[in-house]
Amino acid sequence: MAKGLDVGTMNIISAQQEGNETVFVQQRNSFVEIEYSDMAEQMLSRSDVLHIRKDDKVYVVGDDALNFANIFNKETRRPMKHGILSSDEKSAIPMMKLIIEQVVGSPDHPNEKIYFSTPADPIDSDLSTLYHQKTIESFLDEMGYDAEPINEGMAVIYSELADNDFTGLGISFGAGMTNVCLAYYAVPVMKFSVARGGDWIDEQAAQATGTPVDKVTSIKEEDFELDFTTDVGGVEGALSIYYENLLDYVIDLIQREIDEEDVEEGLDVPVVVTGGTSTPDGFTKLFERHLEEANIPFSISGVSHADEPMYSVARGGLVAARSDEEQPEQEEVEEEEPEAAEAED
């Protein structure tokens, strides 16, 4: 057995194979603080609401955090910011541990392999991802897993481009960051992240319209479409403007970072986009149109959208983990075969 884990700013998602099915477990990566009382804690426990008590406070964690934030008219808080652990949030580490434990569960056997997503260092920011990566790795190792990081963009390649020999350009539009990876036959030749994603869109739209960020996020997640028919004075109009701005920004950086020598001459490269920020209807067509207008130094065979964009990174981690677990077994078989041949002689 093996598992994949998408450690995202907005959601934490695990993937595990059960027979012919890939099973995903998901929790929102957020929490809200409420006043402690015996009655409150009893009600939370009876309702199976994920929570933790600290001193005179109770923290509701995961999917229920947004509901409680709306009930108590509070803003949710995030353990992560810009794709990594938030240095501004003192409760980040205990909240992350609780959510990860809930999502991945106990290992099926000692040192079960798990590949967890980690962003590349952003090229438009001084942020370092190393502390975040090592902290998540430590969480999982303490739980009894054999944890390995996988670049988020590379996880997209593993998940979506198996039929193309793991060759192509994978782009994960997440909440905290956008991750980009160009790979040939499962070997990354370019990878980077951008310190903008869905959260940046929400924050800009909220500031422009005077709307609370959580409200903007809810509107975006419900039925928002990138059709550009919405009145630009409203929240959906602002979201459309900043979505288009993000796409132009990411494409400009792809143009800047790609070296023509990294691209095999005459090769048509498939592009796949995924991630929670890519889910609105119209996103893929808008991205494809802007990409066609850009000066990319290779031919693009097509732009596709992952069938399950929320689960793509977790699935890619699972593919990598299963491959890693199967490799030692194959090596053992290869070692036994010569020994058997010698015995027959």
Side-chain angles (χ1 to χ4, degrees):
M1 297 295 288
K3 291 176 183 173
L5 180 65
D6 177 8
V7 185
T9 303
M10 179 67 77
N11 293 284
I12 295 181
I13 305 168
S14 69
Q16 182 175 2
Q17 200 71 22
E18 292 186 4
N20 295 324
E21 298 282 326
T22 303
V23 177
F24 299 96
V25 179
Q26 174 180 344
Q27 281 283 353
R28 185 177 288 268
N29 194 3
S30 64
F31 64 98
V32 66
E33 176 187 298
I34 61 176
E35 294 294 327
Y36 170 79
S37 71
D38 290 339
M39 179 65 73
E41 186 161 31
Q42 287 175 17
M43 292 300 294
L44 292 172
S45 298
R46 287 177 188 171
S47 303
D48 292 325
V49 172
L50 191 61
H51 67 284
I52 185 172
R53 178 187 173 186
K54 187 176 179 183
D55 300 326
D56 60 344
K57 304 290 183 184
V58 173
Y59 298 92
V60 177
V61 182
D63 292 341
D64 293 305
L66 189 60
N67 296 331
F68 275 79
N70 290 331
I71 291 169
F72 291 99
N73 198 27
K74 290 188 174 186
E75 291 281 335
T76 56
R77 288 156 61 183
R78 300 269 198 85
M80 286 173 58
K81 184 178 182 181
H82 298 310
I84 59 176
L85 283 164
S86 174
S87 59
D88 298 329
E89 181 52 70
K90 294 181 180 178
S91 300
I93 288 179
M95 298 303 155
M96 283 287 289
K97 286 184 73 172
L98 182 63
I99 297 172
I100 287 174
E101 287 170 358
Q102 180 75 14
V103 167
V104 302
S106 301
D108 292 326
H109 58 80
N111 295 316
E112 179 181 9
K113 186 68 71 175
I114 185 169
Y115 270 63
F116 66 95
S117 67
T118 184
D121 285 334
I123 58 173
D124 58 344
S125 167
D126 293 331
L127 290 172
S128 169
T129 62
L130 182 61
Y131 175 75
H132 168 82
Q133 176 185 312
K134 292 297 184 182
T135 302
I136 303 303
E137 188 173 355
S138 176
F139 289 169
L140 295 166
D141 285 344
E142 287 175 4
M143 292 176 66
Y145 287 98
D146 179 6
E148 292 284 348
I150 181 172
N151 173 265
E152 185 170 325
M154 193 64 220
V156 175
I157 303 288
Y158 276 122
S159 174
E160 306 301 328
L161 292 175
D163 292 340
N164 204 64
D165 297 322
F166 303 110
T167 296
L169 182 66
I171 308 174
S172 175
F173 288 90
M177 283 184 178
T178 299
N179 276 268
V180 180
C181 181
L182 175 66
Y184 285 104
Y185 300 104
V187 178
V189 295
M190 178 201 71
K191 56 184 178 181
F192 67 87
S193 73
V194 175
R196 292 186 187 180
D199 285 349
W200 179 83
I201 292 172
D202 296 352
E203 289 161 6
Q204 298 303 312
Q207 186 175 2
T209 61
T211 307
V213 174
D214 278 351
K215 179 64 175 175
V216 172
T217 302
S218 296
I219 291 171
K220 186 181 73 176
E221 290 181 352
E222 284 171 6
D223 53 6
F224 170 66
E225 296 182 17
L226 276 164
D227 55 10
F228 292 92
T229 61
T230 310
D231 179 12
V232 294
V235 171
E236 291 187 348
L239 284 169
S240 297
I241 289 169
Y242 287 108
Y243 253 101
E244 193 160 26
N245 184 266
L246 174 65
L247 296 187
D248 283 336
Y249 184 69
V250 170
I251 291 170
D252 284 345
L253 290 174
I254 291 173
Q255 291 180 101
R256 193 183 82 184
E257 290 299 307
I258 287 182
D259 190 333
E260 289 187 36
E261 295 179 358
D262 290 337
V263 183
E264 183 180 328
E265 189 175 350
L267 182 68
D268 290 337
V269 177
V271 178
V272 60
V273 294
T274 188
T277 301
S278 73
T279 54
D281 288 344
F283 179 93
T284 306
K285 286 185 179 179
L286 181 65
F287 180 78
E288 186 171 17
R289 194 182 79 219
H290 282 249
L291 196 61
E292 287 172 351
E293 296 169 356
N295 184 26
I296 302 294
F298 53 78
S299 176
I300 294 171
S301 61
V303 177
S304 62
H305 191 228
D307 291 336
E308 296 180 299
M310 289 293 293
Y311 300 140
S312 183
V313 172
R315 182 186 284 108
L318 174 61
V319 171
R322 293 185 70 190
S323 176
D324 200 349
E325 278 204 340
E326 290 167 4
Q327 189 173 358
E329 294 176 5
Q330 182 63 34
E331 289 173 355
E332 287 177 11
V333 170
E334 290 173 356
E335 289 175 2
E336 289 173 2
E337 286 176 353
E339 290 176 5
E342 289 173 8
E344 289 176 6
D345 292 342

